[in-house]
Amino acid sequence: MKLFGPLYDRVMSWSRHPKAPWYLGGLSFAESSFFPIPPDVMLAPMCLARPAAWWRLALLTTIMSVLGGMLGYFLGSMALDAIMPWVDRMGWTPKLETARSWFDRWGFAAVLIAGFSPIPYKVFTIAAGGMGMPLLPFVLASIVGRGGRFFLVSWLMARFGPAMEPRLRPVMEWLGWGSVAMVGALYLYLR
């Protein structure tokens, strides 16, 4: 069953669409405060499709992500009690408690690490506001963390992606199904 090859082709065609930067900006904003899909899934193929524009795409993603993070911060500072039922329904309560303990210990560094890593950044934006972290350090940590991540992803894709793409496409089915098998095996192992 060929699923991942055609999906790869579709994602690459979407990444070349004239309005793709608008979608990337919207996704970057939403992911930082409430949406579960990270912008990397759109940023990477866009940088592969437009290697010369990698730094503009990274800058757009960073700016919109930080602005979305500020929305999460204000949600946390103004309405943490009101959004806690939603946070609980999404299954993020344990992550929020982890974020709280990190804020007690590391503050600025917690936001910076969450911004750079695959840890759900939105949890830290809400927690930063809810715990009363000062806005300026929050924004600076977000710029450094998110910017570092998105500029690194963009540069890597622009620098090495075009040379890898012809070799990647023929094995896309194997990579896709192999990833599904690994996730399934990990799930069964952890269960």
Side-chain angles (χ1 to χ4, degrees):
M1 178 171 155
K2 293 196 178 217
L3 174 70
F4 293 97
L7 183 60
Y8 174 82
D9 294 336
R10 179 158 298 168
V11 167
M12 289 306 293
S13 72
W14 289 340
S15 67
R16 290 180 177 96
H17 191 277
K19 292 191 181 199
W22 287 95
Y23 302 139
L24 176 62
L27 176 62
S28 301
F29 181 86
E31 183 271 338
S32 293
S33 50
F34 61 87
F35 197 64
I37 299 174
D40 308 67
V41 299
M42 197 168 177
L43 177 63
M46 285 181 69
C47 290
L48 185 60
R50 308 167 187 202
W54 73 268
W55 67 271
R56 286 192 305 264
L57 295 169
L59 182 63
L60 169 69
T61 306
T62 301
I63 290 170
M64 295 307 291
S65 181
V66 170
L67 290 174
M70 290 173 69
L71 173 63
Y73 178 94
F74 288 116
L75 285 172
S77 69
M78 296 182 173
L80 186 59
D81 291 335
I83 64 171
M84 276 310 291
W86 177 74
V87 169
D88 195 41
R89 269 196 309 274
M90 296 299 288
W92 293 341
T93 302
K95 292 175 183 171
L96 187 62
E97 291 307 315
T98 300
R100 285 181 195 231
S101 70
W102 283 26
F103 278 111
D104 287 343
R105 279 194 189 154
W106 301 299
F108 179 91
V111 175
L112 189 138
I113 291 167
F116 189 81
S117 72
I119 296 169
Y121 177 63
K122 69 193 80 21
V123 173
F124 282 80
T125 66
I126 294 167
M131 295 191 63
M133 180 179 183
L135 182 61
L136 184 59
F138 169 79
V139 171
L140 291 175
S142 295
I143 290 170
V144 173
R146 296 308 259 182
R149 173 179 167 173
F150 298 138
F151 274 86
L152 178 63
V153 166
S154 298
W155 178 78
L156 287 171
M157 291 307 296
R159 174 72 177 95
F160 301 107
M164 291 300 297
E165 186 181 13
R167 290 180 236 162
L168 185 63
R169 177 60 181 91
V171 296
M172 188 53 61
E173 288 302 321
W174 286 100
L175 290 172
W177 288 113
S179 297
V180 168
M182 284 184 1
V183 167
L186 182 63
Y187 172 76
L188 292 173
Y189 175 75
L190 294 174
R191 216 173 134 210

